[in-house]
Structure formats: C-alpha cells, structure tokens
Amino acid sequence: MFVDFLYELRERGLKVGPQEALALSQALTRGLHETTLDGFYRVARALCVHREEDLDAFDRAFAHYFRGVPDDALQIAEEVLDWLADPRSMRELTPEERELLETLDLEDVRRQLRERLAEQTGRHDR
Amino acid sequence: MDFFRFRGTDAYLTSPELESAVNCALALERPLLVRGEPGTGKTQLAEALANALGLSLIHWPVKSTTKAQDGLYVYDTVQRLYDSRFNDGDPHKVSDIRRYIKLGPLGEAFAARERRVVLIDEVDKADLEFPNDLLHELDRMRFRIAETGDEIVARERPFVVITSNAEKELPDAFLRRCVFHYIEFPDRELMARIVRVHHPDLAHELLDQALAAFYRLRDVEGLRKRPSTSELIDWIAVLRRAGVESVELDESLPFLGALLKREQDLLAFAEAMHRGRRPRA
C-alpha cells in the first residue's frame, strides 16, 4: 500500500523512488507522523514533494489513494516495515541504502513502534 | 528516542505543515529547504527556529559569485601580500599563514563547540552547481585547509536551513536530499494577524479596506513584482502617518508607490484601472 502510493505519485509526475521510501520509513519509525493520517500526510508531503509545482498533484494523489482508508497509522507503519523486510524490495535500493538498512534491526523497530503507540492515550486532532 | 519538537514562537506564526517539516529535518539530519515568494518570511523562519532551539544562527547570504568553497574558508592572499610589502617589522606576522585564513559560515559552524543553525539564504542566486557542491561539503562534515594543513572536523552537525525564491530552478539531486517546505503567501486571515503584530492600534475599518485593496492589487494582471507583506506593512504605516482613514482600490489609491515599486507595474495598474474600472479579481 505504501509503496503503491509512491507509484501513484510517480504517475502524477513526482520524482520519487527508493530514496523517498527510505526517508519515509525512517520518519515513521521515529514517530514523526504522530500516529495520525494527517501527520502522515504532512511528513509524506515534506519528504516526497520537492517543488511547489508538485504540491497539487501530491494532494490529489493522497486524496485519491487514501480515500476511504481508516485513520489507522499503525496499519501504515506495519506495512512499511513489511515492505522493508521483504527481500524483493532490496532490489530497488542502492548499495548505500542497503547498507543503511542492515544497520536497522527490524524486529526491534517493530517492538519500539508498538510500545510507542501503546503509550498514546488518545487520538490527536489537527 | 528524544528529539526536539519544533512548535514555533510567539513572534513567528507557524502551521502544522511547517512544524512537521522542521521536525523531519531535525530528526533525519537533512537540510530544510524553504521556498516561497519574496517577502514571505523565509529568513525570519530560520531566525525563529534558531530561537526556539536555543542555538546561535549563522547567516550566509548567497550572491551570484558565491561558491561552496567560500562557505568553508577563504585565504586572503591580497592582505598577506600587502602586509609583506608595506609592514615594516614582523616577518613572523606575514609568515603565519593562519592569520590570513578566514573561516566561512560553514567552517565556523563546524569549528564551533556548540551546535549552530546555518541559514544559507537565497541559494538560487548562485550558479546551478552551487547547491550540489554544498551538499557534498555538508555530507563530509569536515574539510582541510590546504594552505596550513589544518583539518576542521565538525563536532556537532549544524542544522541547515536553505531558502530559495519560488520559481527558480534547483538541481534534482539537491532537491531530493532536502526536506521541503513551501511558504504560501499569507491568506487574509493570517495577514490580518501579521499586520496587527506591527500595527496593534490599527482601526478595524482601515485594516479591512487596506487588506481588500492589497489582495485585489496582487491580482492585477501583468505585475512583475507583486506587493508583499513588508510592503503592506510599510504602506499602512504611511497611511496612518498621513491620517488617511479609508482607502479604496481605484486610480486615487494613496501612496501607491509604497506597494508597487516598479514603473512597469504602475503602468500595468493604471492600465487595469482604465480598462475595467476594477482589476480582475
């Protein structure tokens, strides 16, 4: 789902690829999206949009892609981690990025993510 | 994992989008690229950020001749030559090359004991390769002064804010490395708040009329330089000092020169007034 979103952005002319996927996953594992869809929107926008001309296309892609999706950021984060764990996604990364990936212990990241989300006592409103 | 969450300051009004971008840049250790029309507060943002983080700001205003190397250091050969020819004593002074090495903004930030915020202002003014060269130096976080053999290694990674005017081209590799934030031109509501910070006792009616005139003026077709926030604030100051109590957008708009600084824009305005009696909304 997450990777498909990046493909959706590419189709609308945004220059995104494995670099943005990696940046996004780093941001999510650090909780920068504050576990809301709004937060994810803002983080994705800051990392995937590189010029102001692309802002509208990003918004359309986001609205189209996440239409009807429940506001469940945990689901998004889980899917990012699944993608990272999938050996097939290795092929899309550069050697430097693969090295970086190896420094991450994905199980540990998953555990940290669950702990962090369990600490949240309520949903955040915009 | 602990990192600072940027929440803005009293003097600088922020948005959730801005806060997200800043926090991403901080956490991921990437430069923050801020784009917007001239006068949208890009420089002030960097200052507010440094303030909020409790760090000193090093300001690097970029010019058309600026090179990445200038950010590291400059070797003042001219001064050294001057000293060697005209200074009566002290051959020691001249032979100590270190006296003639001046660290640039990045060099200073690397050499500093505490973390600094570096503002690389108006990066679009330099040539197209400049941003890529800059990234290279930022990634290395160290450099060698060839003339002395000294090596400067950054103790603390500076937080880098880069500003660029909208619609200027920048290289892809550079853009993709930065965290992006675009400062929209303030809408009327936000602008009213900004104006009130500068003119706290402004009469409600005059504010409304000035804003209405201002935004419709911005919509006039063919303007080369649309009036921006600072021009609005200056214009209101002039109106108040002149005792003007109400304004309307027509040929008789007072002190128009405070808003439109270019001759061709004044002509475009006159044309628009003449054509439709009202500019296009």
Side-chain angles (χ1 to χ4, degrees), chain B residues 2-270:
Chain B
D2 227 336
F3 60 89
F4 182 85
R5 281 196 192 274
F6 176 65
R7 285 276 180 256
T9 66
D10 286 333
Y12 189 87
L13 308 169
T14 69
S15 65
E17 286 79 17
L18 174 57
E19 289 166 16
S20 282
V22 170
N23 289 319
C24 278
L26 282 171
L28 302 181
E29 298 189 327
R30 292 173 175 231
L32 176 69
L33 173 64
V34 181
R35 298 217 353 150
E37 267 184 60
T40 40
K42 301 187 285 294
T43 308
Q44 290 86 329
L45 166 59
E47 289 166 351
L49 183 53
N51 230 312
L53 291 170
L55 301 175
S56 304
L57 177 77
I58 298 179
H59 186 199
W60 184 8
V62 171
K63 302 195 283 273
S64 60
T65 51
T66 304
K67 303 289 173 207
Q69 172 66 29
D70 301 338
L72 301 179
Y73 74 96
V74 170
Y75 172 37
D76 195 349
T77 50
V78 174
Q79 184 65 44
R80 191 167 180 228
L81 190 63
Y82 177 92
D83 285 352
S84 75
R85 295 198 69 195
F86 299 111
N87 253 332
D88 302 323
D90 220 348
H92 294 293
K93 184 177 166 194
V94 175
S95 66
D96 182 9
I97 299 183
R98 282 185 187 83
R99 298 188 56 138
Y100 302 96
I101 301 287
K102 185 168 190 306
L103 288 182
L106 270 189
E108 261 187 58
F110 287 174
R113 276 185 216 289
E114 299 100 20
R115 203 157 174 227
R116 296 271 190 259
V117 174
V118 177
L119 167 60
I120 306 178
D121 215 356
E122 300 196 280
V123 77
D124 50 291
K125 290 213 150 76
D127 64 43
L128 205 55
E129 274 317 301
F130 175 68
N132 283 337
D133 294 340
L134 204 58
L135 272 189
H136 180 69
E137 303 303 342
L138 286 172
D139 282 341
R140 289 178 66 219
M141 292 273 288
R142 69 188 333 153
F143 63 94
R144 203 170 148 273
I145 298 178
E147 290 80 359
T148 63
D150 291 340
E151 179 132 17
I152 309 283
V153 182
R155 274 176 251 238
E156 299 281 348
R157 186 185 196 89
F159 181 59
V160 178
V161 181
I162 303 178
T163 70
S164 167
N165 287 312
E167 291 161 34
K168 296 292 167 109
E169 203 189 320
L170 293 173
D172 270 353
F174 168 77
L175 289 176
R176 292 181 71 174
R177 188 82 175 82
C178 296
V179 176
F180 178 81
H181 182 71
Y182 181 70
I183 303 192
E184 300 275 1
F185 195 80
D187 62 16
R188 252 181 96 149
E189 207 192 295
L190 178 57
M191 188 61 94
R193 283 157 69 198
I194 294 172
V195 170
R196 284 227 173 275
V197 170
H198 295 266
H199 297 286
D201 313 321
L202 185 59
H204 196 63
E205 241 184 62
L206 183 56
L207 173 61
D208 274 353
Q209 290 174 358
L211 284 175
F214 174 75
Y215 275 96
R216 288 168 81 196
L217 184 61
R218 277 178 58 85
D219 279 339
V220 166
E221 252 184 279
L223 290 185
R224 285 290 305 278
K225 187 184 183 299
R226 293 195 287 179
S228 69
T229 310
S230 52
E231 273 122 25
L232 173 62
I233 290 170
D234 289 344
W235 182 53
I236 291 179
V238 171
L239 291 176
R240 292 179 77 188
R241 220 168 302 153
V244 173
E245 284 180 357
S246 78
V247 287
E248 226 190 273
L249 186 67
D250 57 26
E251 298 91 352
S252 68
L253 193 70
F255 305 112
L256 184 59
L259 291 169
L260 295 179
K261 305 279 173 69
R262 294 186 181 207
E263 177 112 28
Q264 34 192 161
D265 288 343
L266 289 168
L267 292 174
F269 173 73

Side-chain angles (χ1 to χ4, degrees), chain A residues 110-121:
Chain A
R110 249 183 242 271
R111 184 185 50 78
Q112 276 187 41
L113 193 59
R114 271 183 234 279
E115 280 171 15
R116 185 187 300 276
L117 290 167
E119 283 164 24
Q120 303 285 345
T121 51

